[in-house]
Tab-separated table of all heavy atoms in Angstrom:
chain	number	residue	atom	x	y	z
A	1	ALA	N	20.094	-6.877	-16.709
A	1	ALA	CA	20.307	-7.662	-15.490
A	1	ALA	C	21.062	-6.886	-14.415
A	1	ALA	O	20.687	-6.912	-13.236
A	1	ALA	CB	21.031	-8.964	-15.826
A	2	LYS	N	22.139	-6.194	-14.806
A	2	LYS	CA	22.922	-5.443	-13.813
A	2	LYS	C	22.108	-4.294	-13.213
A	2	LYS	O	22.187	-4.034	-12.013
A	2	LYS	CB	24.205	-4.906	-14.446
A	2	LYS	CG	25.252	-5.975	-14.745
A	2	LYS	CD	26.532	-5.361	-15.277
A	2	LYS	CE	27.572	-6.436	-15.539
A	2	LYS	NZ	28.845	-5.851	-16.096
A	3	ASP	N	21.327	-3.621	-14.049
A	3	ASP	CA	20.511	-2.505	-13.560
A	3	ASP	C	19.423	-2.998	-12.603
A	3	ASP	O	19.131	-2.352	-11.588
A	3	ASP	CB	19.872	-1.755	-14.728
A	3	ASP	CG	20.902	-1.047	-15.593
A	3	ASP	OD1	21.823	-0.433	-15.018
A	3	ASP	OD2	20.778	-1.115	-16.821
A	4	VAL	N	18.814	-4.133	-12.923
A	4	VAL	CA	17.788	-4.690	-12.051
A	4	VAL	C	18.396	-5.121	-10.720
A	4	VAL	O	17.833	-4.860	-9.650
A	4	VAL	CB	17.078	-5.879	-12.739
A	4	VAL	CG1	16.217	-6.647	-11.732
A	4	VAL	CG2	16.231	-5.381	-13.897
A	5	ALA	N	19.565	-5.769	-10.781
A	5	ALA	CA	20.232	-6.196	-9.546
A	5	ALA	C	20.619	-4.987	-8.692
A	5	ALA	O	20.413	-4.980	-7.466
A	5	ALA	CB	21.471	-7.019	-9.883
A	6	ARG	N	21.151	-3.954	-9.344
A	6	ARG	CA	21.552	-2.743	-8.614
A	6	ARG	C	20.341	-2.046	-8.010
A	6	ARG	O	20.352	-1.640	-6.843
A	6	ARG	CB	22.286	-1.790	-9.554
A	6	ARG	CG	22.676	-0.445	-8.933
A	6	ARG	CD	23.436	0.416	-9.938
A	6	ARG	NE	23.723	1.733	-9.380
A	6	ARG	CZ	22.895	2.762	-9.432
A	6	ARG	NH1	21.706	2.631	-10.006
A	6	ARG	NH2	23.244	3.928	-8.915
A	7	GLY	N	19.280	-1.920	-8.792
A	7	GLY	CA	18.079	-1.252	-8.301
A	7	GLY	C	17.440	-1.989	-7.151
A	7	GLY	O	16.977	-1.375	-6.180
A	8	THR	N	17.410	-3.321	-7.239
A	8	THR	CA	16.828	-4.122	-6.164
A	8	THR	C	17.619	-3.941	-4.875
A	8	THR	O	17.037	-3.826	-3.791
A	8	THR	CB	16.797	-5.615	-6.561
A	8	THR	OG1	16.074	-5.757	-7.795
A	8	THR	CG2	16.132	-6.453	-5.486
A	9	GLU	N	18.933	-3.897	-5.005
A	9	GLU	CA	19.769	-3.690	-3.820
A	9	GLU	C	19.583	-2.280	-3.260
A	9	GLU	O	19.502	-2.092	-2.037
A	9	GLU	CB	21.243	-3.920	-4.184
A	9	GLU	CG	22.195	-3.926	-2.991
A	9	GLU	CD	21.882	-5.027	-1.996
A	9	GLU	OE1	21.396	-6.101	-2.406
A	9	GLU	OE2	22.127	-4.798	-0.780
A	10	LEU	N	19.475	-1.290	-4.140
A	10	LEU	CA	19.259	0.084	-3.690
A	10	LEU	C	17.930	0.239	-2.958
A	10	LEU	O	17.806	1.066	-2.040
A	10	LEU	CB	19.283	1.042	-4.892
A	10	LEU	CG	20.647	1.468	-5.414
A	10	LEU	CD1	20.488	2.270	-6.705
A	10	LEU	CD2	21.397	2.290	-4.371
A	11	SER	N	16.932	-0.541	-3.356
A	11	SER	CA	15.613	-0.420	-2.728
A	11	SER	C	15.677	-0.692	-1.225
A	11	SER	O	14.853	-0.186	-0.460
A	11	SER	CB	14.619	-1.383	-3.383
A	11	SER	OG	14.882	-2.734	-3.032
A	12	LYS	N	16.652	-1.472	-0.805
A	12	LYS	CA	16.766	-1.813	0.614
A	12	LYS	C	17.145	-0.606	1.463
A	12	LYS	O	16.874	-0.566	2.668
A	12	LYS	CB	17.772	-2.946	0.797
A	12	LYS	CG	17.301	-4.274	0.184
A	12	LYS	CD	18.361	-5.348	0.278
A	12	LYS	CE	17.817	-6.700	-0.159
A	12	LYS	NZ	17.247	-6.704	-1.512
A	13	THR	N	17.803	0.377	0.838
A	13	THR	CA	18.168	1.595	1.576
A	13	THR	C	17.294	2.795	1.200
A	13	THR	O	17.094	3.696	2.010
A	13	THR	CB	19.645	1.957	1.329
A	13	THR	OG1	19.882	2.058	-0.086
A	13	THR	CG2	20.562	0.899	1.926
A	14	LEU	N	16.758	2.801	-0.026
A	14	LEU	CA	15.974	3.947	-0.488
A	14	LEU	C	14.496	3.855	-0.118
A	14	LEU	O	13.816	4.871	-0.062
A	14	LEU	CB	16.099	4.084	-2.009
A	14	LEU	CG	17.477	4.453	-2.552
A	14	LEU	CD1	17.449	4.474	-4.078
A	14	LEU	CD2	17.946	5.801	-2.018
A	15	CYS	N	14.002	2.646	0.119
A	15	CYS	CA	12.575	2.468	0.412
A	15	CYS	C	12.348	2.288	1.909
A	15	CYS	O	13.063	1.529	2.569
A	15	CYS	CB	12.024	1.252	-0.332
A	15	CYS	SG	12.003	1.449	-2.124
A	16	SER	N	11.367	3.001	2.421
A	16	SER	CA	10.982	2.895	3.836
A	16	SER	C	9.476	2.615	3.894
A	16	SER	O	8.672	3.533	4.087
A	16	SER	CB	11.303	4.194	4.580
A	16	SER	OG	12.684	4.486	4.504
A	17	PRO	N	9.085	1.348	3.723
A	17	PRO	CA	7.651	1.018	3.666
A	17	PRO	C	6.931	1.328	4.975
A	17	PRO	O	7.388	0.955	6.059
A	17	PRO	CB	7.648	-0.496	3.394
A	17	PRO	CG	9.008	-0.810	2.873
A	17	PRO	CD	9.925	0.165	3.534
A	18	ARG	N	5.803	2.013	4.843
A	18	ARG	CA	4.959	2.345	5.990
A	18	ARG	C	3.515	2.326	5.536
A	18	ARG	O	3.227	2.519	4.355
A	18	ARG	CB	5.293	3.742	6.543
A	18	ARG	CG	6.734	3.931	6.981
A	18	ARG	CD	7.031	5.372	7.294
A	18	ARG	NE	6.313	5.839	8.469
A	18	ARG	CZ	6.276	7.114	8.861
A	18	ARG	NH1	6.883	8.047	8.141
A	18	ARG	NH2	5.614	7.458	9.948
A	19	GLY	N	2.612	2.119	6.485
A	19	GLY	CA	1.210	2.082	6.114
A	19	GLY	C	0.283	2.525	7.230
A	19	GLY	O	0.668	2.554	8.405
A	20	LEU	N	-0.921	2.904	6.831
A	20	LEU	CA	-2.003	3.260	7.756
A	20	LEU	C	-3.249	2.512	7.329
A	20	LEU	O	-3.507	2.367	6.134
A	20	LEU	CB	-2.345	4.757	7.667
A	20	LEU	CG	-1.471	5.834	8.270
A	20	LEU	CD1	-2.098	7.183	7.924
A	20	LEU	CD2	-1.333	5.674	9.757
A	21	TYR	N	-4.031	2.055	8.305
A	21	TYR	CA	-5.338	1.532	7.932
A	21	TYR	C	-6.315	1.704	9.081
A	21	TYR	O	-5.934	1.889	10.238
A	21	TYR	CB	-5.256	0.077	7.481
A	21	TYR	CG	-5.048	-0.953	8.561
A	21	TYR	CD1	-6.128	-1.554	9.216
A	21	TYR	CD2	-3.766	-1.374	8.912
A	21	TYR	CE1	-5.937	-2.529	10.190
A	21	TYR	CE2	-3.565	-2.349	9.885
A	21	TYR	CZ	-4.659	-2.923	10.517
A	21	TYR	OH	-4.470	-3.875	11.481
A	22	THR	N	-7.576	1.663	8.726
A	22	THR	CA	-8.634	1.721	9.730
A	22	THR	C	-9.786	0.857	9.245
A	22	THR	O	-9.859	0.469	8.076
A	22	THR	CB	-9.104	3.158	9.978
A	22	THR	OG1	-9.917	3.191	11.157
A	22	THR	CG2	-9.931	3.711	8.806
A	23	ARG	N	-10.691	0.571	10.149
A	23	ARG	CA	-11.841	-0.271	9.854
A	23	ARG	C	-13.117	0.550	10.074
A	23	ARG	O	-13.271	1.190	11.112
A	23	ARG	CB	-11.826	-1.472	10.804
A	23	ARG	CG	-12.803	-2.579	10.456
A	23	ARG	CD	-12.849	-3.600	11.590
A	23	ARG	NE	-11.550	-4.094	11.961
A	23	ARG	CZ	-10.997	-5.204	11.484
A	23	ARG	NH1	-11.655	-5.928	10.607
A	23	ARG	NH2	-9.804	-5.595	11.893
A	24	LEU	N	-13.999	0.566	9.084
A	24	LEU	CA	-15.273	1.277	9.197
A	24	LEU	C	-16.439	0.310	9.048
A	24	LEU	O	-16.378	-0.634	8.254
A	24	LEU	CB	-15.392	2.358	8.119
A	24	LEU	CG	-14.496	3.594	8.224
A	24	LEU	CD1	-14.856	4.577	7.126
A	24	LEU	CD2	-14.598	4.251	9.582
A	25	GLU	N	-17.506	0.582	9.781
A	25	GLU	CA	-18.711	-0.239	9.704
A	25	GLU	C	-19.573	0.206	8.524
A	25	GLU	O	-19.792	1.405	8.309
A	25	GLU	CB	-19.510	-0.109	11.004
A	25	GLU	CG	-20.780	-0.934	11.039
A	25	GLU	CD	-21.571	-0.725	12.322
A	25	GLU	OE1	-21.048	-0.069	13.250
A	25	GLU	OE2	-22.729	-1.199	12.375
A	26	VAL	N	-20.023	-0.756	7.750
A	26	VAL	CA	-20.913	-0.456	6.623
A	26	VAL	C	-22.279	-0.038	7.155
A	26	VAL	O	-22.854	-0.697	8.022
A	26	VAL	CB	-21.064	-1.689	5.704
A	26	VAL	CG1	-22.128	-1.437	4.629
A	26	VAL	CG2	-19.732	-2.033	5.048
A	27	ASP	N	-22.788	1.066	6.630
A	27	ASP	CA	-24.124	1.530	7.004
A	27	ASP	C	-25.168	0.950	6.053
A	27	ASP	O	-26.130	0.320	6.480
A	27	ASP	CB	-24.162	3.063	6.974
A	27	ASP	CG	-25.532	3.620	7.327
A	27	ASP	OD1	-26.226	3.009	8.170
A	27	ASP	OD2	-25.923	4.653	6.752
A	28	GLN	N	-24.942	1.152	4.760
A	28	GLN	CA	-25.920	0.683	3.783
A	28	GLN	C	-25.244	0.436	2.438
A	28	GLN	O	-24.386	1.216	2.009
A	28	GLN	CB	-27.043	1.702	3.607
A	28	GLN	CG	-28.169	1.240	2.705
A	28	GLN	CD	-29.315	2.240	2.657
A	28	GLN	OE1	-29.248	3.311	3.253
A	28	GLN	NE2	-30.379	1.896	1.954
A	29	VAL	N	-25.619	-0.661	1.798
A	29	VAL	CA	-25.175	-0.956	0.434
A	29	VAL	C	-26.371	-0.766	-0.479
A	29	VAL	O	-27.366	-1.496	-0.382
A	29	VAL	CB	-24.637	-2.394	0.306
A	29	VAL	CG1	-24.209	-2.665	-1.140
A	29	VAL	CG2	-23.469	-2.614	1.262
A	30	GLY	N	-26.269	0.256	-1.340
A	30	GLY	CA	-27.356	0.537	-2.270
A	30	GLY	C	-27.006	0.087	-3.666
A	30	GLY	O	-25.929	-0.465	-3.906
A	31	PRO	N	-27.869	0.326	-4.627
A	31	PRO	CA	-27.599	-0.094	-6.010
A	31	PRO	C	-26.471	0.686	-6.678
A	31	PRO	O	-25.880	0.202	-7.643
A	31	PRO	CB	-28.935	0.147	-6.718
A	31	PRO	CG	-29.625	1.192	-5.892
A	31	PRO	CD	-29.203	0.943	-4.474
A	32	LYS	N	-26.172	1.870	-6.159
A	32	LYS	CA	-25.168	2.713	-6.826
A	32	LYS	C	-23.990	3.088	-5.946
A	32	LYS	O	-23.144	3.888	-6.352
A	32	LYS	CB	-25.829	3.992	-7.340
A	32	LYS	CG	-26.879	3.740	-8.409
A	32	LYS	CD	-27.443	5.046	-8.932
A	32	LYS	CE	-28.481	4.799	-10.029
A	32	LYS	NZ	-29.044	6.082	-10.552
A	33	GLY	N	-23.924	2.543	-4.718
A	33	GLY	CA	-22.809	2.906	-3.863
A	33	GLY	C	-22.949	2.352	-2.462
A	33	GLY	O	-23.882	1.612	-2.158
A	34	VAL	N	-21.985	2.739	-1.622
A	34	VAL	CA	-21.902	2.214	-0.259
A	34	VAL	C	-21.703	3.370	0.713
A	34	VAL	O	-20.866	4.257	0.479
A	34	VAL	CB	-20.700	1.249	-0.109
A	34	VAL	CG1	-20.708	0.595	1.272
A	34	VAL	CG2	-20.702	0.208	-1.211
A	35	SER	N	-22.463	3.365	1.812
A	35	SER	CA	-22.271	4.360	2.869
A	35	SER	C	-21.759	3.669	4.122
A	35	SER	O	-21.987	2.473	4.328
A	35	SER	CB	-23.575	5.106	3.161
A	35	SER	OG	-24.593	4.211	3.592
């Protein structure tokens, strides 16, 4: 319990969440994959 509480609190300073995303148009859906 103490380790989980400590780790959760540390995450607030040690973690810097960031992300990237993009959107692509589907060309073709075939039987074995997607282009």
Side-chain angles (χ1 to χ4, degrees):
K2 288 184 179 179
D3 294 317
V4 168
R6 176 178 176 274
T8 304
E9 188 61 32
L10 279 173
S11 72
K12 293 175 172 56
T13 55
L14 293 177
C15 293
S16 301
R18 302 171 67 188
L20 285 177
Y21 74 90
T22 192
R23 191 189 307 266
L24 290 185
E25 181 183 351
V26 173
D27 179 34
Q28 185 175 3
V29 179
K32 296 183 179 180
V34 186
S35 60

